Amino acid sequence: MKRSKRVLELGSGYGLAGLAIAASTDAFEVVISDGNPQVIDYVQRNININASTFGDTKVKSMILHWIEELDSEMLYNFDIIIASDCTFFKEFHECLAKTVKSLLKNSEKSEAIFLSPKRGDSLDKFLVKIKDMGLDYDLIEDYDSKVWNLHQKFRNENDTSWPNYDEDHCYPFLLRITLKKPKTTSTTMP
């Protein structure tokens, strides 16, 4: 099987998701990014420590600021972009949406996969920016039965296993972002 998928993790923190993808998939390359240089130092250490688990997958870290001009060699280059809990800073919504659009490969199979809680109106405002940027999305609340069942359990006021559970800040929705599909026109013959 040919390794061909290029995966980018945005706002990675210490890079757990990117590292897991690199270790458990046949991706060609996984790039783990964050805007904080100190965090990227930790990510690179984690890459070095776990290098033996990546097989033939190329794994690298990089500093990536959503508000800065992107390097031209990165544009339209990723099959999959992942991010978790990156939509809470409303002032970066437009930059984040633009970054996703600029980095996704121009392919029907390319997509960005975000996990994000609502955090008041923050997620809704980000979805508006996604639409404004000419992207499509699906927002999925019940995407995994185990996660959903735990969410339902924690919402129950009688459950004390997670005191102060606030679904607005804790429950991650699955957001799938894709390039807008071209409209097809049907023609009928007279």
Side-chain angles (χ1 to χ4, degrees):
M1 175 183 240
K2 182 181 174 198
R3 294 174 172 267
S4 60
K5 299 280 186 208
R6 296 191 77 224
V7 179
L8 171 68
E9 181 179 9
L10 293 174
S12 68
Y14 295 118
L16 178 61
L19 294 167
I21 289 170
S24 64
T25 71
D26 64 351
F28 172 73
E29 180 179 41
V30 176
V31 178
I32 304 171
S33 73
D34 198 278
N36 183 327
Q38 185 176 11
V39 168
I40 290 300
D41 287 342
Y42 290 122
V43 169
Q44 190 57 55
R45 286 186 211 171
N46 287 335
I47 290 171
N48 295 342
I49 290 168
N50 293 287
S52 65
T53 65
F54 304 143
D56 292 332
T57 299
K58 297 177 187 177
V59 184
K60 67 180 184 179
S61 63
M62 69 175 294
I63 296 172
L64 180 63
H65 296 281
W66 307 331
I67 60 173
E68 293 180 1
E69 192 71 29
L70 297 168
D71 191 348
S72 62
E73 65 199 33
M74 289 184 62
L75 297 177
Y76 315 110
N77 214 0
F78 292 94
D79 301 285
I80 299 170
I81 297 173
I82 61 168
S84 180
D85 206 14
C86 287
T87 63
F88 58 91
F89 290 121
K90 295 175 189 173
E91 64 270 22
F92 295 116
H93 283 170
E94 187 171 346
C95 298
L96 178 56
K98 182 179 179 183
T99 297
V100 168
K101 184 174 183 177
S102 298
L103 295 176
L104 267 181
K105 190 180 282 184
N106 191 4
S107 163
E108 286 184 14
K109 294 184 179 184
S110 298
E111 68 179 334
I113 303 167
F114 283 39
L115 285 169
S116 182
K118 284 196 171 258
R119 293 188 182 261
D121 66 352
S122 187
L123 181 57
D124 291 333
K125 288 185 180 261
F126 179 65
L127 297 177
V128 169
K129 293 296 181 187
I130 288 293
K131 281 290 188 191
D132 290 349
M133 201 56 60
L135 297 165
D136 283 332
Y137 70 85
D138 288 315
L139 186 63
I140 306 161
E141 185 176 13
D142 181 0
Y143 50 87
D144 179 271
S145 61
K146 188 177 234 180
V147 172
W148 182 253
N149 289 336
L150 284 170
H151 169 60
Q152 296 302 320
K153 175 184 176 216
F154 298 144
R155 288 174 68 191
N156 183 339
E157 291 178 11
N158 296 323
D159 182 70
T160 59
S161 60
W162 188 337
N164 305 319
Y165 177 74
D166 178 1
E167 66 183 289
D168 185 62
H169 284 84
C170 296
Y171 184 73
F173 284 75
L174 176 65
L175 173 61
R176 299 179 82 126
I177 305 167
T178 56
L179 300 173
K180 197 170 274 287
K181 293 170 182 50
K183 293 182 179 178
T184 57
T185 56
S186 62
T187 56
T188 54
M189 299 300 276

